[in-house]
Amino acid sequence: MSSNRAPNGLEAAFLANRERLLRFLRARGAGDAAEDLLHEVWLKITTAAVGPVAAPMAYLYRTADLLMIDRYRSERQARRRDKDWSEAAATVPGVSDAPSGERVLIARDHARLVAEALDALGPRPAAIFHRHRIDGVQQRQVAEEFGVSLSTVESDLRRAYRAILEVKERIDEA
């Protein structure tokens, strides 16, 4: 409320009955959020262009009740969204979804095996694979960059895919 003006009828009713409104919200299940909701009621009545209200307490109770329902729905939706996200991301609440140290080491070892397999093909096939699959460059542009035909790029990529598949099969067998 601005200090330059006297409270209007609705604001005066709020100020005179603040504790009653607070008890109402707590009785309706607002718990720790009752003070916050009461503040929202105050903001709503001081910022909204409300004409004369015949029953100010009924208006305040209804406003408080509607704000509490809105907050409940919002929290319920947030919980549902978090639950759906957790299920979709296959995470367990309270448990880090970061890979364990062991998984990091295994992944690094697998990446090293793939890099070795690509390097064994020679510098051009490894570089062509990297430009196309890692950098996302189109095959035609890769062919131009390396000064080779499109069929050579395709052949080198097939060799690289075959080498990676062989690494995967060796890992799966182990």
Side-chain angles (χ1 to χ4, degrees):
M1 173 179 74
S2 172
S3 59
N4 297 344
R5 65 176 178 82
N8 66 28
L10 202 50
E11 293 169 356
F14 176 91
L15 293 171
N17 294 286
R18 185 182 188 289
E19 289 304 314
R20 285 177 62 192
L21 289 165
L22 192 58
R23 282 193 307 273
F24 168 78
L25 287 168
R26 286 186 177 138
R28 298 270 295 138
D32 294 336
E35 286 285 347
D36 292 339
L37 286 164
L38 201 57
H39 183 70
E40 287 182 48
V41 171
W42 175 256
L43 291 175
K44 196 166 197 71
I45 65 172
T46 58
T47 58
V50 178
V53 177
M57 284 309 294
Y59 182 90
L60 291 171
Y61 282 129
R62 182 71 175 147
T63 300
D65 191 44
L66 290 174
L67 286 172
M68 192 173 81
I69 290 169
D70 286 347
R71 180 172 284 206
Y72 169 77
R73 286 178 179 159
S74 176
E75 288 172 355
R76 184 181 65 194
Q77 184 65 27
R79 281 191 307 273
R80 184 178 298 141
R81 185 177 47 248
D82 289 346
K83 179 180 175 273
D84 291 347
W85 172 252
S86 292
E87 288 173 0
T91 60
V92 177
V95 176
S96 172
D97 59 349
S100 68
E102 179 183 15
R103 289 183 64 101
V104 169
L105 292 174
I106 290 170
R108 285 182 184 158
D109 189 49
H110 290 174
R112 181 187 52 76
L113 293 172
V114 168
E116 288 173 358
L118 291 174
D119 289 344
L121 297 176
R124 190 191 69 212
I128 285 176
F129 175 82
H130 189 276
R131 286 295 287 150
H132 178 64
R133 296 299 295 184
I134 308 301
D135 297 339
V137 177
Q138 295 292 321
Q139 289 182 15
R140 185 168 305 283
Q141 187 177 344
V142 171
E144 290 172 10
E145 288 177 11
F146 283 84
V148 297
S149 69
L150 181 58
S151 62
T152 300
V153 169
E154 291 170 345
S155 174
D156 284 351
L157 287 173
R158 275 194 303 273
R159 289 178 56 212
Y161 296 147
R162 193 174 312 112
I164 292 171
L165 183 59
E166 289 171 3
V167 169
K168 183 184 180 320
E169 288 171 351
R170 280 196 324 257
I171 290 170
D172 290 345
E173 289 174 0

